[in-house]
Amino acid sequence: MESKGASTSAAGTEAEPRMETTAIHSLHSKTYIFRDEDHTLGNSLRYMLMRDPTVDLCGYTIPHPMEAKMNMRIQTSPKKNADQALKDGLKNLVTLCEDVKETFSKAYAKK
């Protein structure tokens, strides 16, 4: 699930992709690098992935506070590959965030 196309910086040079796959042990065991992300995405995405019964292991690390990247390791059962688990986890996280936003907006409007 490598990033499709890198963004271009103001100087016109290609920037690094926001996400890439680094350590590929098999279709069911991969490590992803998310650039410009931190514990906010890492912990919430890890939580959503661990709710999936096909995900055997999921963890993330921030290698260094001064380095703007997050490494996420996903290991799945043979029923689903790691790329699909990541896609599903991200979709579920977006859905959860939309639900929280809607609930908050409704509660705020009542005041």
Side-chain angles (χ1 to χ4, degrees):
M1 180 170 179
E2 291 190 35
S3 178
K4 306 276 191 223
S7 60
T8 304
S9 70
T13 60
E14 286 212 11
E16 292 184 87
R18 291 280 310 223
M19 192 201 81
E20 66 181 274
T21 306
T22 178
I24 302 172
H25 304 284
S26 72
L27 290 175
H28 304 286
S29 180
K30 293 186 179 183
T31 301
Y32 303 89
I33 297 175
F34 292 84
R35 301 202 189 287
D36 298 320
E37 295 298 344
D38 57 16
H39 294 286
T40 304
L41 178 66
N43 197 36
S44 54
L45 182 56
R46 182 199 58 80
Y47 172 78
M48 295 306 288
L49 284 164
M50 288 307 298
R51 293 183 61 181
D52 183 341
T54 63
V55 174
D56 296 332
L57 174 133
C58 179
Y60 77 96
T61 61
I62 306 293
H64 191 276
M66 297 300 291
E67 200 173 355
K69 73 177 186 177
M70 172 189 72
N71 299 325
M72 179 162 280
R73 172 72 183 267
I74 302 172
Q75 198 168 318
T76 62
S77 68
K79 295 177 184 175
K80 186 186 288 186
N81 66 47
D83 288 343
Q84 188 60 50
L86 178 60
K87 288 178 188 176
D88 293 347
L90 288 167
K91 286 178 190 175
N92 292 340
L93 184 57
V94 167
T95 300
L96 177 65
C97 289
E98 288 170 350
D99 289 345
V100 169
K101 181 180 176 183
E102 183 180 330
T103 302
F104 175 81
S105 296
K106 286 179 183 176
Y108 188 76
K110 287 182 183 179
K111 288 188 173 194

